[in-house]
Amino acid sequence: MLELRLVQGSLLKKVMESIKDLVNDANFDCSATGFSLQAMDSSHVALVSLLLRSEGFEHYRCDRNLSMGMNLGNMAKMLKCAGNDDIVTVKADDGGDCVTFMFESPNQDKIADFEMKLMDIDSEHLGIPEAEYEAIVRMPSAEFARICKDLSTIGDTVVISVTKEGVKFSTRGDIGTANIVLRQNTSVDKPEEATIIEMETPVSLTFALRYMNSFTKATPLASQVTVSLSSELPVVVEYKIAEMGYLRFYLAPKIEE
Amino acid sequence: KSSQNRLESFFKPV
């Protein structure tokens, strides 16, 4: 028996909107630790890793580990029917073939339940080792989204370079080139507007902007985004989910020839 | 010219 009650149901709505276009089907894993998902896009270039820790739920019951295969597009459709202030409860029976999403309005005057069929998914799980990253950039998530969107109007790929001077986002296309440099900025009034660059070694990597733009659909989840870079490693773009966990996107770099 | 790496080049299946 599984029963997860999330007072801030909008978090789950936002998570689904962030990942549904990147991954079609995925297994949600439920354990004492929390509600999690790891899935790759169909071309095995990008990976989504979600964790919602059990402590973040108002009620969390998971009698035994359960893996539930879901079509993320269909799950997103159902969660879209929840109000932004609704409390969302996810329910499933051990060995059952469906999952129920229950939506309660804040004053309990509307209660809806949506039942969705589960599916069998053969998913490959990748082991992601803890790594020391050569450069970690923390910046406003809206700024990161703006940069990716702007650069994708010029080119298909972005070169992200971190040096002592700052972080540079560059692209090149048929009409010309673009370079955007952000310097460290901790002197802002609000911490969510800061840009913080931690660099061990200068690093420069190339990525497909199509994927970066897809990741930025998670912007409503967090005011800041963390971009972790190391040569020879996929970049990690992380959105923290308040008090609960994270949504991380891994993207394999392109090889310059 | 650039070509796209896949994730399996970095992370091993478990």
Side-chain angles (χ1 to χ4, degrees), chain A residues 74-95:
Chain A
N74 293 342
M75 186 179 169
K77 275 184 202 166
M78 291 198 164
L79 284 163
K80 244 188 170 160
C81 301
N84 279 329
D85 301 324
D86 280 3
I87 299 162
V88 172
T89 303
V90 181
K91 285 195 276 195
D93 290 320
D94 293 337

Side-chain angles (χ1 to χ4, degrees), chain A:
Chain A
M1 169 87 185
L2 167 93
E3 198 170 287
L4 320 178
R5 185 176 154 94
L6 184 61
V7 173
Q8 220 184 326
S10 60
L11 284 181
L12 205 51
K13 283 168 69 97
K14 288 176 189 168
V15 166
M16 294 317 299
E17 290 306 310
S18 312
I19 63 177
K20 71 178 170 66
D21 296 330
L22 193 63
V23 176
N24 295 328
D25 305 316
N27 284 313
F28 278 88
D29 297 312
C30 209
S31 71
T33 314
F35 195 54
S36 64
L37 169 149
Q38 190 205 83
M40 280 187 276
D41 82 299
S42 57
S43 56
H44 290 206
V45 169
L47 180 143
V48 180
S49 174
L50 166 74
L51 174 65
L52 299 173
R53 288 186 199 92
S54 52
E55 306 89 79
F57 291 83
E58 189 204 24
H59 170 73
Y60 191 95
R61 177 177 170 188
C62 175
D63 295 342
R64 60 196 185 103
N65 291 0
L66 203 60
S67 186
M68 296 185 290
M70 300 196 213
N71 175 283
L72 300 191
N74 293 342
M75 186 179 169
K77 275 184 202 166
M78 291 198 164
L79 284 163
K80 244 188 170 160
C81 301
N84 279 329
D85 301 324
D86 280 3
I87 299 162
V88 172
T89 303
V90 181
K91 285 195 276 195
D93 290 320
D94 293 337
D97 60 357
C98 60
V99 58
T100 300
F101 302 107
M102 191 171 88
F103 312 140
E104 297 167 70
S105 65
N107 60 2
Q108 308 282 313
D109 60 352
K110 179 179 171 189
I111 295 169
D113 58 84
F114 288 67
E115 192 178 271
M116 189 177 82
K117 289 189 191 112
L118 295 175
M119 53 201 292
D120 285 323
I121 299 166
D122 274 334
S123 71
E124 291 163 88
H125 223 72
L126 296 184
I128 301 172
E130 284 288 315
E132 292 287 325
Y133 284 89
E134 289 164 352
I136 299 173
V137 179
R138 198 159 82 232
M139 61 185 283
S141 58
E143 182 66 73
F144 181 67
R146 173 75 198 259
I147 291 171
C148 292
K149 183 166 160 269
D150 286 350
L151 293 186
S152 63
T153 65
I154 315 287
D156 296 329
T157 60
V158 58
V159 181
I160 306 180
S161 310
V162 184
T163 62
K164 271 190 286 186
E165 311 305 316
V167 54
K168 183 166 81 168
F169 301 86
S170 309
T171 194
R172 173 181 298 276
D174 293 340
I175 63 166
T177 63
N179 296 291
I180 299 171
V181 178
L182 294 187
R183 290 183 210 291
Q184 172 146 299
N185 177 8
T186 54
S187 62
V188 288
D189 296 338
K190 298 173 191 163
E192 62 266 28
E193 289 170 6
T195 298
I196 296 163
I197 300 167
E198 292 168 40
M199 189 201 76
E200 295 288 329
T201 318
V203 60
S204 182
L205 288 163
T206 305
F207 301 100
L209 274 166
R210 184 165 71 83
Y211 289 100
M212 285 291 183
N213 268 315
S214 177
F215 303 163
T216 62
K217 289 182 182 153
T219 304
L221 276 171
S223 59
Q224 290 253 311
V225 63
T226 306
V227 181
S228 303
L229 298 143
S230 261
S231 44
E232 318 283 319
L233 269 185
V235 63
V236 191
V237 179
E238 177 179 278
Y239 296 85
K240 288 247 190 297
I241 301 173
E243 319 288 315
M244 289 203 78
Y246 55 77
L247 181 60
R248 288 179 189 152
F249 298 97
Y250 294 81
L251 177 60
K254 300 196 99 175
I255 314 160
E256 296 295 333
E257 284 165 354

Side-chain angles (χ1 to χ4, degrees), chain A residues 44 125 127 252-253 255 257, chain B residues 1 3-5 7-8 12 14:
Chain A
H44 290 206
H125 223 72
I255 314 160
E257 284 165 354
Chain B
K1 272 277 160 205
S3 64
Q4 178 65 60
N5 271 304
L7 287 162
E8 286 91 340
K12 297 285 158 262
V14 287

